[in-house]
Protein backbone atom coordinates (compact mmCIF):
# COMPACT_ATOMS: atom_id res chain seq x y z
CA UNK A 1 0.00 0.00 0.00
CA UNK A 2 1.34 3.46 -0.91
CA UNK A 3 1.64 6.00 1.87
CA UNK A 4 1.76 9.79 1.50
CA UNK A 5 4.49 11.53 3.51
CA UNK A 6 4.03 15.13 4.62
CA UNK A 7 6.44 17.75 5.90
CA UNK A 8 4.87 20.54 7.94
CA UNK A 9 1.45 19.57 6.61
CA UNK A 10 2.46 19.59 2.93
CA UNK A 11 2.64 16.31 0.96
CA UNK A 12 6.23 15.90 -0.24
CA UNK A 13 6.35 12.28 -1.37
CA UNK A 14 5.00 8.78 -1.38
CA UNK A 15 6.42 5.63 0.21
CA UNK A 16 6.00 2.52 -1.90
CA UNK A 17 6.72 -0.99 -0.59
CA UNK A 18 9.55 -2.54 -2.62
CA UNK A 19 11.83 -5.50 -1.86
CA UNK A 20 11.07 -5.48 1.87
CA UNK A 21 11.69 -1.74 2.21
CA UNK A 22 9.84 1.49 1.52
CA UNK A 23 10.98 3.38 -1.57
CA UNK A 24 10.52 7.14 -1.49
CA UNK A 25 9.09 8.90 -4.53
CA UNK A 26 9.37 12.69 -4.27
CA UNK A 27 6.47 14.84 -5.42
CA UNK A 28 8.04 18.18 -4.40
CA UNK A 29 11.28 19.64 -5.72
CA UNK A 30 12.49 20.44 -2.18
CA UNK A 31 13.02 16.73 -1.48
CA UNK A 32 14.02 15.52 -4.95
CA UNK A 33 17.46 14.55 -3.62
CA UNK A 34 15.77 11.79 -1.58
CA UNK A 35 13.87 10.38 -4.59
CA UNK A 36 14.44 6.64 -4.97
CA UNK A 37 16.00 6.21 -1.53
CA UNK A 38 14.89 3.17 0.48
CA UNK A 39 13.86 3.27 4.13
CA UNK A 40 13.12 0.54 6.64
CA UNK A 41 10.16 2.39 8.17
CA UNK A 42 7.90 5.39 7.76
CA UNK A 43 9.47 7.05 10.79
CA UNK A 44 12.95 6.66 9.27
CA UNK A 45 11.73 8.33 6.06
CA UNK A 46 10.11 11.18 7.97
CA UNK A 47 13.30 11.76 9.97
CA UNK A 48 15.39 11.81 6.76
CA UNK A 49 13.00 14.35 5.23
CA UNK A 50 13.11 16.50 8.35
CA UNK A 51 16.93 16.41 8.41
CA UNK A 52 17.12 17.16 4.69
CA UNK A 53 14.78 20.15 4.97
CA UNK A 54 16.64 21.48 8.03
CA UNK A 55 19.94 21.34 6.11
CA UNK A 56 18.32 22.93 3.05
CA UNK A 57 17.07 25.89 5.12
CA UNK A 58 20.50 26.26 6.80
CA UNK A 59 22.27 26.33 3.42
CA UNK A 60 19.89 29.03 2.15
CA UNK A 61 20.58 31.31 5.13
Amino acid sequence: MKQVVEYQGVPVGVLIPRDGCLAFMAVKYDVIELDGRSFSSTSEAREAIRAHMTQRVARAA
Side-chain angles (χ1 to χ4, degrees):
M1 175 186 350
K2 297 175 188 170
Q3 185 174 19
V4 175
V5 181
E6 296 181 352
Y7 177 74
Q8 294 185 343
V10 176
V12 295
V14 179
L15 291 171
I16 304 165
R18 185 178 358 161
D19 299 329
C21 293
L22 298 169
F24 181 73
M25 182 174 72
V27 297
K28 292 290 186 184
Y29 181 75
D30 291 345
V31 294
I32 197 72
E33 292 89 351
L34 299 176
D35 190 62
R37 187 166 160 190
S38 293
F39 298 97
S40 61
S41 67
T42 302
S43 60
E44 181 185 19
R46 287 189 178 125
E47 176 56 27
I49 291 164
R50 186 204 59 76
H52 174 78
M53 294 300 289
T54 299
Q55 290 175 352
R56 185 176 169 89
V57 169
R59 285 191 305 255

